[in-house]
Amino acid sequence: MSAHRSPRWPAAVPLTTPRLTLEPLRVDHAREAVSVFADVRLHTWTGGTPSSLAQLEARYGRQSAGRSPDGRQGWLNWMLRRNADGQLIGTVQATLYRTAAGAASEASVAWVVGTDYQNEGYAREGALAMASWLRAQGVTEVAANIRPGHGASTAVARALGLKASAQVVEGEVRWSDSGT
C-alpha cells in the first residue's frame, strides 16, 4: 500500500489526567525538554547520551510529523506536564502499525520521565492515559520493549495490562497485552 493511498493515522490530541496534561509534541517543547532529559542516569535505560537543544529540535520536528516518512507507521508523541505547577516532566509515545486490512492494530509504546520527577507515578499515569486513548482509537494490541531489570518500567507495563513474552528485541523484552 503506498503512502499516498494509505488511510490517515490518528493525530495526537491533548489529554488530561488528575495530575498531568499530555500535550501533543511540538518542536518548541525542546527548549524545556533539553534540561529535563539531560541527566546521564536516564540513558542507563534508554541508551545513548543526552541530546543538545539542536538535536532535540530536529528529532521533535521529525516526530511531530505524525508518521514515518514512508507512511507505514503512525507516530504519536505527547509531552507530560504537571498540572500543579506547569512543569514539563517527561514524555509518552506510541508507534502505530496497521494490519493488511489497513486498521491501526498495534501500538508500540514508550515513556520517559525526567530523573527529578521519577517515583511519583507520573509514567504510569501518562502511559495509562495514552493507552486508554489508543484503545479508543481502535488499537487492538499495545506492546512495549523493556530492558531486563528496569523495575519502574516493568511496573508501568503491568499497570497497562502487559505481560512479558519470550521475545527479546535488541536486548529488551517485549511486553504486550496479547502476551506475544
Side-chain angles (χ1 to χ4, degrees):
M1 185 180 293
S2 66
H4 70 279
R5 291 212 247 139
S6 62
R8 293 176 55 109
W9 293 104
V13 298
L15 304 172
T16 57
T17 71
R19 299 184 303 155
L20 299 171
T21 297
L22 285 68
E23 299 175 356
L25 180 68
R26 301 182 314 269
V27 173
D28 67 343
H29 280 122
R31 290 203 179 280
E32 287 179 273
V34 71
S35 62
V36 173
F37 301 127
D39 191 324
V40 295
R41 292 174 293 176
L42 273 181
H43 300 276
T44 300
W45 302 111
T46 63
T49 58
S51 298
S52 69
L53 175 59
Q55 289 168 323
L56 272 186
E57 288 173 335
R59 181 181 315 132
Y60 290 178
R62 289 187 304 275
Q63 291 174 332
S64 63
R67 66 179 187 87
S68 62
D70 65 6
R72 297 173 82 179
Q73 299 173 349
W75 292 345
L76 299 169
N77 294 272
W78 289 268
M79 299 306 285
L80 304 177
R81 189 174 299 280
R82 203 165 43 193
N83 293 335
D85 60 5
Q87 175 65 48
L88 189 80
I89 62 164
T91 184
V92 292
Q93 58 191 39
T95 300
L96 304 178
Y97 302 92
R98 286 199 171 97
T99 64
S105 67
E106 181 181 324
S108 179
V109 299
W111 46 86
V112 178
V113 170
T115 307
D116 292 343
Y117 312 104
Q118 293 179 0
N119 301 311
E120 301 290 331
Y122 294 126
R124 179 183 188 274
E125 191 170 328
L128 282 168
M130 173 183 61
S132 176
W133 183 86
L134 290 168
R135 289 176 176 127
Q137 305 310 303
V139 170
T140 57
E141 183 174 358
V142 174
N145 293 333
I146 300 172
R147 290 212 181 282
H150 193 319
S153 281
T154 297
V156 172
R158 285 191 177 118
L160 294 176
L162 308 183
K163 296 173 185 66
S165 73
Q167 185 178 359
V168 177
V169 179
E170 296 180 11
E172 297 179 327
V173 174
R174 176 181 162 87
W175 288 67
S176 74
D177 48 12
S178 71
T180 61

